[in-house]
Each structure stands twice: as C-alpha cells, then as structure tokens.
Amino acid sequence: MTDLTYREAMRGAIRTAMQEDERVFLMGEDVGHYGGCYAVTKGLLEEFGPQRIRDTPLSESAFTGAGIGAAMNGVRPIVEIMTCNFSLLALDQIMNNAATMRHMSGGQVTVPIVIRMATGGGRQLAAQHSHSLEGWYAHIPGLRVLAPATVEDAGGMLGPALADPDPVLIFENALLYNETGPAGDPGSVDIDHAAIRREGSDISLITYGGSLGKTLAAAGQLAGDGIDAEVLDLRVLRPLDDDAILATLAKTRRCVIVDEGWRSGSLSAEIMARIVEQGFWTLDAPLARVCSEEVPIPYAAHLEEAALPSAEKIVTAARTVLGR
Amino acid sequence: MSGNPAKVRLSREHCRTLLHQMLRIRRFEEKCAELYTQEKIRGFLHLYIGEEAVAVGVMQALAPEDAVVATYREHGHALMKGVPADTIMAEMFGKQEGCSGGRGGSMHLFDTEHRFYGGNAIVAGGLPIAAGLALADTLADRSRITTCFFGEGAVAEGEFHEALNLAALWQLPVLFVCENNLYAMGTALDLSESQTDISAKAACYDIASEAVDGMDVVAVEVAARRAVAAIHETGRPRFLECRTYRFRAHSMYDPQLYRAKEEVEAWKERGPIRRFKTWAFEAGELRESDVAEIEAEIAREIDQAVAFAQDGTWEPVADLTRHVGAERRP
C-alpha cells in the first residue's frame, strides 16, 4: 500500500471532493497563490482556478461568515483558518451563527460547512500560534469536531465531513503534516467513532490528534516493562464516542487521558466526568491525565517541551495508576 | 416628497400599498408592545416604530427570490418579505407554529420559503452571512441578490469593514442597507464614530453608496430601486444609508436617559406615516376613507395573527434537543 504524508492525504481529499462535486470550493488565507501556509493546498489553484480556490483577505470573521452564508445557500464550502489561535477572530461566526442557525430557525436553515484549522504546539511558535483549542469547540452544541491523527484519517475524514448536513470542524495538528503512513482506504473512514490504535489489557490510554504518536510511543515503552497498554484514538471530539471509552475501560479497568489542551475545563476533564458517571464501578484505580501545563506556550524549546504532553509524562502517569 | 418620484410609479394603488405596509408594521408592533405588557411576549422586544419607511421602501425593489438578512429589530422586514403575520406572532408567543418553531423568538425570525434568513442578534453578525449568501448565488450563476439590513451601531464592528471589503473585492451582489437611527442602544453616533458620515465609509471600499432620508418612503424606494438595478447591471454591491429615527425605546427595558423628549417629538413630527399620508392627501392620491379601509384590513390581519398565536401549541419538552443537528445523517 502506498505511503503518503498527512499533508498529501489531506490535499488528495480536497482534490477528490472538488472533482466529485462542483459545489465544493475552498477559501482561506494564502490557500491559493502562496500554496497554503502548511502547503496543504499547493497546486490546487492551478488545478481548479480562482473561483474555487479563493485567497481571502485577513478577515477571519468575514470569510468564515461568508462560508456559513454560502453553505446556507446551496454550496459546500471548505474554509481553512491558518491556526486555531486565529479562529478566535471568527469565533462569533462559528459559535453564534454556524452552530445555532439550524436551532434558531426551528430546523429550516442548515449550515453544511467544513472548517479546517491547524492546531497544537511543538514548533517554538510561542503563545499565539501553538494552542490546542479543539476542546473549547467541543463544548458547543451544533458542531461536530474531528481530530484526524493518522494519514488515513487525514485522507478520509473530509469526504464524510462535506456530506454532513451540519458544520464540521477539522483540527489538524501541525506536527502531523510531515508524518508518513499508509493511505489506507479513505472510503471506509467514518466521522462517528473512536478507534483502537493498539490493543492491550492492562491500562487504557485515551488520546487524539497530535498526542497519538506520543501515546503510542509511551505504550511501546510500557510494553518493554511488561505493561500492556491499549490506545484509544478518540478521532471525534464532539460528539464523544462514549461507548468506545467505556468499552476499553471495561477491558482494562484503568485509564490515563492524554490531551494537549490545558487541564482546567478541558476535554480530558469531560472524559473523566463521563467515566465517573457511567463507568465508576469498573475502575480499579483513580483516573489520571496528562495535559498541557497551565501556561501560554513559551518560545524557548526546553520550556515548550516541558509544557506539552510527552511520552515520558504518559509513562509516568500510567505507572502511577498501575502502582508499578 | 423628496427623491425622484419620476422613477417610481406613484399610482393611487402604489400609494395605497406604501401606506398600508407602513401602517401594517406600525399596528403590528403596537400590538406586540401591548402583548408584552400582558406577558404574552417575553424576552427582548425591539420595536421598529418610526423606521417603517426603510423596510417598506427598500422591499419595493426586491423580488421574491432575493434573500434578506436583518437584525434583531426585524419584525417589519419579515412582514415585508412575506413572512405571514400569523407565524411571526406565534413565534413571539414561543409557540411551535411560529416561523422558527418557537426556538428563535422576536430576535430570530426565519422563513426560508420567503428567503428570510433572520433575525441576527449579534450586531454586524449578519453582514458576512449576507456576503456568503450572495457568493453562493454568484458561484451557482443565479441572478438574485441579497439585501442586508443593519443599524449604524454595526459600523463600529470589524465585521462591517471585513464584509464590505470582501463584497467589493469579490463583486458580490449585496445591497447593504444601514438603518441609521442615530443611537446604538443609548450611545449617540458622534460618541462612537470619528467619521459620522456612514456612506463615506462604504465609499472607502469602492462601493457606490448613497444616503437618503429614511423618513421618506418614496425617497427610500427610489434609491433602493436604483441600487438594485445597479447591482443587477454590474454584479457589484451597493450601499444605502437610510437616515431614520426610532420613536420607541431600544427595547422594552430602556428608560431612554440618553436623549431628550423634545428630540423624539421633533422626529415624530417628521414621522414616515404622518408625512406620507399628508402628502398623499394633498396630492389627491388617497382619502380618509382609504385610510379607514386600510386600518380595518390591518386590524383583521392582526386579530387573526393574535388568535393564531394564542391557539398555537407548546412544543413538547421531550423534543428539547431537536434542531441541534440533523435527525438523519448520511
């Protein structure tokens, strides 16, 4: 099977969607002539022309809102926001319009838009380009929030996201763009379920997006010590796949959650709450989690590294839960 | 009347229509205020009373297939776009027969059948949406336009500037209508803007703009027809500033400490209904008997709307989480 980069898989998915459905178009900052801030859209302007690959002004609110309005009127926009920190400039449109339009209109107005954005730290880009805000968006009813962590998901999630009648946000951890992996079968990818990425029986490590690689590395280290960890990739951050979370917990009875968001009010907190509500009696040990430290992401490499989840932190947390 | 009535067919029938529609909005909202005191309508209620000439004048220029995006002060726009008074009133009662199923209320009237896209209660939040509706029409090669109403308070928001730039840059068929009633809630225009000439701001984005007396329904209609024709001809957006005045409080909770009673009274002297009626009488186009007939028609329509709302039903609480996402997904 062919290996691709995550970036190539995403680009291929955009190309396929645009070839298959003439209603699909893409807009965002530097997606055309520049080729995309992360080069995801490189070459697409030449292939599809400026009507369908639209460079926008630095007006996150206007072009996201325009995408929402266009989606309300029969086309299928893909809006690219350069990083999730910039998405805060469009938060009014995402939260007050995209997420609410169906509801406020009593079901009449639908917003089938896909909004893609880069997320995550680890590139010494400091405190305005490095945050993981997907957990915030996962708070909002009316949105579906995806976090493709593998090349196969990068290539496969866009199609079903565009077919969804409601707004879908895709968070692409920027460290993943150069990762290579098997293209897989994009046609078999869903946007409803979590996926087991490593089978195990001693402890469940629950994670998503850019933390999946670190978590699998941690599971590898634990295996060297005879600890058999199961790794669950959430894939869909809203709505959460409660069944998959409870199923892995029923198997291992112990759990560490790995979330690049800050701890307070985080997605990891929500998962812990659900486990306590629905799976308390299956637990053999207190829950644990590895999150980003509660600090804006610093520039200096050693400080940034200390702020983010790491395989070592995950191993330590797992050992603590297991008492060995 | 000012403006250029030569371009508007001021037939007796048309005069009757303009007066009827302005009075219809006025009486409908007076009834809303009354129902608010009776606690039939709750939440925020923003009345358009005094500004009727804007919605009535602009809408004369629009076709049924044209889309409208409005603000939280949108009862008049919804009525003019064809949303039935019955379903608007039922919406304000919170009944499931309402035009938004009771989920929206006064600030969020929607009716896709009449291409009425809200009812947006975030100031300037509707401008990017309007640009997007127009973008989709452009991409699909449809020759319809989108009209976006907003108050002068929206001019201070970034979304105003972003959306105007985008619409001009991408040549989107949008008619931007600024309803300048001089106060953003209680903040006067000259306390919030360094440049108070709003149409000049549109010109900065290379959008042809015009300011018009928003208390003069004929002047508004003439300007709107000119703008809509230009949009169809050029495919580019247009901007219309309608200088108007809100006679009532911002919402039902506003003690109006920010403006003098004399100022309000002076504007009422120039009220759009009073002024048009006086002109139409003097011109011999309308008579007292016409007004009596119109009032009777409106009273019947409003009575029916209130009865419809009163007879409406409450959506079962079991349905609470409906309309958050599609009930069926592929």
Side-chain angles (χ1 to χ4, degrees), chain A residues 23 25 27 51-52 54-75 89-90 92-93 96-109 141-144 160 163-167 191-192 238, chain B residues 91 99-101 103-105 108-113 115-117 119-120 122-140 142 144 146 159 162-163 165-166 169-170 172 320 322-330:
Chain A
R23 297 172 306 165
F25 71 101
M27 61 177 162
Q51 283 292 96
R52 296 182 71 196
R54 305 180 79 95
D55 278 322
T56 65
L58 307 190
S59 304
E60 285 83 358
S61 199
F63 70 73
T64 304
I68 293 163
M72 288 160 58
N73 199 9
V75 291
L89 294 160
D92 167 47
Q93 289 296 332
N96 285 321
N97 285 332
T100 59
M101 209 52 87
R102 176 189 286 276
H103 183 257
M104 288 194 299
S105 68
Q108 292 176 83
V109 178
L143 302 179
R144 181 169 295 263
D164 199 283
D166 291 303
I191 55 170
D192 295 287
R238 185 183 184 97
Chain B
E91 185 60 33
C99 62
S100 304
R103 299 292 180 127
H108 304 300
L109 305 175
F110 283 85
D111 188 338
T112 52
E113 190 189 325
R115 303 212 76 227
F116 191 76
Y117 291 98
N120 200 305
I122 304 295
V123 171
L127 278 88
I129 299 288
L133 288 162
L135 172 61
D137 285 333
T138 302
L139 289 171
R142 292 181 290 243
R144 56 198 194 185
T146 299
E159 287 185 319
E162 292 188 10
N165 179 53
L166 203 67
L169 183 73
W170 288 355
L172 303 176
L320 176 63
R322 277 185 77 200
H323 306 312
V324 176
E327 279 163 23
R328 274 181 306 183
R329 296 174 53 243

Side-chain angles (χ1 to χ4, degrees), chain B residues 104-213:
Chain B
S106 161
M107 297 191 286
H108 304 300
L109 305 175
F110 283 85
D111 188 338
T112 52
E113 190 189 325
H114 294 94
R115 303 212 76 227
F116 191 76
Y117 291 98
N120 200 305
I122 304 295
V123 171
L127 278 88
I129 299 288
L133 288 162
L135 172 61
D137 285 333
T138 302
L139 289 171
D141 208 18
R142 292 181 290 243
S143 71
R144 56 198 194 185
I145 73 163
T146 299
T147 297
C148 184
F149 293 90
F150 51 91
E152 89 291 342
V155 171
E157 296 281 1
E159 287 185 319
F160 169 87
H161 299 274
E162 292 188 10
L164 256 61
N165 179 53
L166 203 67
L169 183 73
W170 288 355
Q171 305 196 13
L172 303 176
V174 182
L175 174 58
F176 292 102
V177 180
C178 178
E179 304 182 302
N180 178 4
N181 66 17
L182 300 175
Y183 294 91
M185 257 182 81
T187 302
L189 183 60
D190 60 4
L191 294 179
S192 63
E193 286 295 317
S194 59
Q195 163 60 280
T196 55
D197 180 353
I198 290 169
S199 62
K201 293 173 194 279
C204 293
Y205 296 101
D206 199 22
I207 297 176
S209 68
E210 189 175 345
V212 67
D213 180 354

Side-chain angles (χ1 to χ4, degrees), chain A residues 153-164:
Chain A
D153 275 354
M157 280 183 159
L158 184 70
L162 281 165
D164 199 283

